[in-house]
Amino acid sequence: MAVTWSGRWNHVRKVTERTGPFAHPDFEPSTETLQFLQEVCHILVIGAGGLGCELLKDLALLGIRNIDVIDMDTIDVSNLNRQFLFRPKDVGKTKAETAANFINLRIPGCNVTAHFAKIQDFDASFYRKFHIIVCGLDSIIARRWINGMLISMLSYEDGELDQSSIIPMVDGGTEGFKGNARVILPGMTACVDCTLDLYPPQVNFPLCTIAHTPRLPEHCIEYVRILLWPKEEPFGAGVAIDGDDPAHVSWILEKSQERANEYNISGITYRLTQGVVKRIIPAVASTNAVIAAACATEVFKLATSCCQPLNNYMNFTDIEGVYTYTFEAEKKDDCVACSQKPQNISFCESDKLQDILTYLLESTTYQMKSPSITTAINGKNRTLYMQSVKSIEEKTRANLKKSLAELELCSGQELYVADPTTPSSLTFILQMGTKME
Amino acid sequence: MIKLFSLKQQKKDGESAPERGKKSSAAQLRIQKDINELNLPKTCDVNFPDPDDLLSFKLIISPDEGFYRGGRFVFSFKVGQGYPHDPPKVKCETMVYHPNIDLEGNVCLNILREDWKPVLTINSIVYGLQYLFLEPNPEDPLNREAAEVLQSNRRLFEQNVSKSMRGGHIGSVYFERCLK
């Protein structure tokens, strides 16, 4: 049942059915564009938190109907001030399902599918379904994972990137009053790992300050978290701190208070303790709204081709007034994630690992010095051979005499080769059957 | 400019390109590079209990000069998926009488915490740790008693280090023998 009414999509049609001074030169106004957005275009939103709620609302109101959302979290009472798809009765429910239900009820015709899961629970066959992926994440590890996934899905023909294998990634991030939005065309423009240095480092206090010369309440809390917890193991051996467990936070609070008293430091509170333990930076609803809007606009531009996408990294801060700056983050030549075009190498099943090693050492193309070869089989990393580290060399030497079949290497298997002659690891795709000329 | 109008085609579930083995993570590729290019001083050695797991290993430092000459000190390295944005977690597994290493094995080395940068490598940390044995720094102590002795009486500190490495008590703390 697609409820609609006259003029419902006028705001979108003004852009998709007319041209304009900022339109992309190849843009052809058409009624089909709206139809594409509504019926064909399939968007994945990763994260249904502060940015995710905004993104789902923005995308749905732009006419996109086929949306999937992934989130591994449940709703906490502290989310309610800004994650506006959630109500007090929803506390404890899953973010993905609650957000999807809200949008589907509120925006007629919209079809959001929820996944209460981790992004790592899905493989390439899932991610390949989407035209564009938009992220509202709070974790660098998750960003790098999805970035790596999209890069691994690229295909090359004769060394040329097959553009139809590209799934654009729009990534938003906020931290208090600061935020950024960026567009990544995997394999073509700077990726998450190209700009890894741009992420602000985690604030870490010197260990000796924490241990002996605390001056701030945070130093006292860090003392308990880093030094006292592993020593006293108050909740049993090997139990890690859970910042959402009130018993854990209360224990840390009490011990931090004792230490603060010893050094005449004031200002320890439950809130601060939990904030330090969970590394909470207070979220600002307006920053999320701006960044999500920028990301949704980019999704719209990419999906309709009505305008050149952001090139390619926008910073935003509203600490004092409003400031934004856009620049072109550069693709790194030696990026571990995206600089590699996987190269095909052909061997037979009966060939030995030694044959691959000899090839890397002696072929005129590579002339490597001491290559190490690793692979991943069923998601588990395996070191096939590494010469330069004695303890690994001894344990992997036997592999050299094994055939590729014995090593369970099949056609299409990726091999990762690090060598001092190359700035980053090389990726090879093993082609079985025909012997290399 | 990417031809985005090709987007207008319906995507089909799980079609096209055959599934390649899931790609190694960026952290994994970077650590492989770091490990392959370890350039260890002759006083250091690394040991990988499981060669398939390049994210966890031991570093053994056997200083050949300074206060700690003749000792053998084992450090455990745990590298996470955040590497190299986040530094590895390093602990000293050998009980050592040292101003910058406490009795639980925590190590006070700036590049392991506040001064870590993604351009640094495992090799940088190895050199940093080796330097701690050559030049223990009493200014930033973790083991304050040891630091005070080093500052006030270098001879006594030297004796304490020798005694601890041979296996013995310093004050009420017993140190296991760790001579090579």
Side-chain angles (χ1 to χ4, degrees):
Chain A
M1 180 202 63
V3 182
T4 197
W5 53 88
S6 150
R8 181 175 176 192
W9 300 107
N10 280 356
H11 61 296
V12 178
R13 293 170 60 191
K14 280 180 183 147
V15 183
T16 57
E17 295 176 19
R18 303 187 306 189
T19 188
F22 299 108
H24 188 280
D26 296 337
F27 175 64
E28 289 169 37
S30 155
T31 53
E32 284 173 16
T33 309
L34 178 59
Q35 205 184 339
F36 166 76
L37 281 182
Q38 294 181 327
E39 288 164 21
V40 182
C41 188
H42 199 172
I43 304 288
L44 174 66
V45 175
I46 302 181
L51 279 170
C53 284
E54 293 275 357
L55 281 167
L56 288 167
K57 172 261 289 173
D58 291 348
L59 295 172
L61 292 174
L62 279 170
I64 294 165
R65 288 179 167 162
N66 299 305
I67 303 174
D68 280 37
V69 58
I70 306 181
D71 197 297
M72 58 186 271
D73 262 348
T74 54
I75 297 161
D76 187 81
V77 69
S78 65
N79 302 145
L80 299 178
N81 72 328
R82 62 191 185 287
Q83 299 177 20
F84 51 81
L85 303 177
F86 311 141
R87 297 289 174 262
K89 67 172 168 44
D90 299 324
V91 169
K93 293 186 193 161
T94 73
K95 289 189 175 181
E97 283 157 1
T98 311
N101 289 340
F102 191 108
I103 295 284
N104 291 341
L105 281 173
R106 183 69 180 77
I107 304 177
C110 203
N111 177 27
V112 183
T113 306
H115 304 276
F116 172 49
K118 292 194 248 182
I119 53 173
Q120 291 87 346
D121 294 339
F122 300 96
D123 62 13
S125 65
F126 172 80
Y127 291 105
R128 195 171 286 123
K129 289 190 298 195
F130 301 100
H131 289 96
I132 301 166
I133 292 178
V134 50
C135 304
L137 289 164
D138 61 358
S139 141
I140 294 172
I141 291 176
R143 281 191 182 87
R144 291 176 83 191
W145 191 90
I146 188 68
N147 180 67
M149 171 58 81
L150 296 182
I151 289 164
S152 75
M153 287 158 58
L154 298 173
S155 55
Y156 291 86
E157 276 166 38
D158 304 324
E160 283 297 309
L161 179 59
D162 171 6
Q163 295 204 341
S164 69
S165 67
I166 296 175
I167 298 178
M169 168 171 161
V170 179
D171 178 47
T174 67
E175 204 172 87
F177 287 103
K178 293 182 277 190
N180 76 283
R182 64 189 296 191
V183 174
I184 295 170
L185 303 177
M188 295 188 71
T189 66
C191 79
V192 171
D193 263 276
C194 289
T195 58
L196 198 64
D197 304 2
L198 291 183
Y199 291 105
Q202 213 174 53
V203 177
N204 278 324
F205 303 109
L207 208 51
C208 38
T209 305
I210 295 170
H212 295 298
T213 50
R215 297 179 303 278
L216 300 171
E218 287 85 349
H219 293 156
C220 301
I221 300 165
E222 285 286 79
Y223 167 80
V224 178
R225 185 179 77 85
I226 299 171
L227 299 173
L228 212 54
W229 182 281
K231 202 186 319 188
E232 302 209 350
E233 302 191 309
F235 293 85
V239 177
I241 297 174
D242 176 358
D244 290 316
D245 184 335
H248 289 194
V249 180
S250 298
W251 187 86
I252 297 171
L253 170 69
E254 188 190 319
K255 298 290 173 184
S256 305
Q257 191 62 61
E258 284 171 19
R259 185 161 175 87
N261 291 343
E262 208 178 310
Y263 287 89
N264 282 324
I265 295 169
S266 61
I268 304 254
T269 60
Y270 187 91
R271 225 180 134 94
L272 181 74
T273 307
Q274 193 178 35
V276 172
V277 168
K278 290 181 72 182
R279 312 230 165 238
I280 295 176
I281 292 167
V284 175
S286 54
T287 313
N288 283 341
V290 171
I291 295 302
C295 291
T297 307
E298 292 311 316
V299 171
F300 183 81
K301 281 153 73 175
L302 289 162
T304 62
S305 303
C306 70
C307 185
Q308 293 275 17
L310 176 77
N311 187 22
N312 53 34
Y313 196 119
M314 189 268 287
N315 272 315
F316 172 85
T317 162
D318 52 358
I319 292 174
E320 289 177 83
V322 172
Y323 176 79
T324 83
Y325 175 69
T326 301
F327 68 99
E328 185 179 347
E330 284 183 30
K331 205 164 175 298
K332 226 169 110 180
D333 288 338
D334 59 350
C335 173
V336 284
C338 78
S339 67
Q340 286 312 313
K341 288 180 193 169
Q343 299 166 60
N344 292 324
I345 41 169
S346 301
F347 286 91
C348 299
E349 286 199 337
S350 57
D351 282 334
K352 309 277 190 282
L353 186 64
Q354 178 69 57
D355 296 320
I356 296 186
L357 190 72
T358 307
Y359 170 72
L360 294 171
L361 291 166
E362 293 178 1
S363 89
T364 47
T365 327
Y366 300 112
Q367 302 186 42
M368 292 189 175
K369 295 275 180 260
S370 66
S372 65
I373 309 174
T374 68
T375 189
I377 295 178
N378 298 327
K380 194 182 175 302
N381 292 300
R382 272 186 51 193
T383 304
L384 296 172
Y385 186 68
M386 187 182 285
Q387 190 194 353
S388 59
V389 174
K390 198 167 148 250
S391 69
I392 301 181
E393 202 278 335
E394 286 167 358
K395 288 175 188 155
T396 56
R397 193 185 302 153
N399 287 344
L400 291 176
K401 295 203 182 79
K402 290 187 188 159
S403 72
L404 304 184
E406 284 171 306
L407 291 165
E408 298 171 68
L409 301 175
C410 323
S411 221
Q413 184 72 39
E414 291 197 355
L415 302 178
Y416 312 107
V417 177
D419 187 78
T421 56
T422 62
S424 69
S425 305
L426 301 183
T427 302
F428 292 93
I429 300 176
L430 201 53
Q431 308 287 325
M432 284 304 189
T434 48
K435 188 91 177 172
M436 197 108 92
E437 292 304 315
Chain B
M1 172 70 201
I2 174 176
K3 265 196 242 138
L4 288 163
F5 276 96
S6 61
L7 284 179
K8 295 206 173 179
Q9 293 138 16
Q10 182 91 45
K11 293 249 172 172
K12 296 190 189 99
D13 288 0
E15 46 118 32
S16 82
E19 218 55 64
R20 302 199 298 252
K22 165 72 186 98
K23 197 162 159 81
S24 242
S25 70
Q28 184 72 33
L29 293 175
R30 165 67 196 263
I31 199 71
Q32 183 185 348
K33 185 83 184 148
D34 273 26
I35 299 301
N36 198 53
E37 277 155 51
L38 273 178
N39 185 6
L40 297 173
K42 61 181 188 303
T43 54
C44 295
D45 192 16
V46 283
N47 183 37
F48 286 77
D50 174 3
D52 290 337
D53 182 6
L54 299 180
L55 300 174
S56 96
F57 58 94
K58 313 268 187 216
L59 167 73
I60 300 103
I61 303 184
S62 315
D64 59 358
E65 55 180 316
F67 294 119
Y68 296 90
R69 191 171 63 168
R72 184 176 183 277
F73 306 95
V74 181
F75 291 82
S76 71
F77 280 63
K78 293 246 177 293
V79 182
Q81 288 301 322
Y83 188 75
H85 178 260
D86 304 325
K89 290 195 163 52
V90 178
K91 284 245 179 184
C92 184
E93 294 191 336
T94 310
M95 262 272 255
V96 54
Y97 180 78
H98 192 294
N100 311 109
I101 301 173
D102 74 14
L103 302 176
E104 275 74 45
N106 297 299
V107 183
C108 192
L109 179 66
N110 62 339
I111 56 169
L112 285 176
R113 292 180 57 80
E114 68 274 15
D115 290 331
W116 172 257
K117 289 180 182 59
V119 293
L120 297 174
T121 63
I122 298 297
N123 228 26
S124 327
I125 299 175
V126 171
Y127 278 91
L129 292 173
Q130 143 140 311
Y131 183 73
L132 278 187
F133 286 101
L134 300 177
E135 293 284 341
N137 171 12
E139 308 282 314
D140 295 325
L142 263 194
N143 180 340
R144 199 152 51 176
E145 292 72 35
E148 277 163 11
V149 175
L150 174 59
Q151 238 161 358
S152 57
N153 187 342
R154 273 181 88 86
R155 274 295 300 278
L156 179 60
F157 180 79
E158 196 173 357
Q159 286 166 8
N160 283 350
V161 171
S162 303
K163 195 169 159 196
S164 70
M165 293 198 304
R166 285 197 306 272
H169 281 87
I170 310 293
S172 60
V173 182
Y174 179 73
F175 291 84
E176 295 247 356
R177 181 183 166 88
C178 67
L179 286 173
K180 249 182 128 174

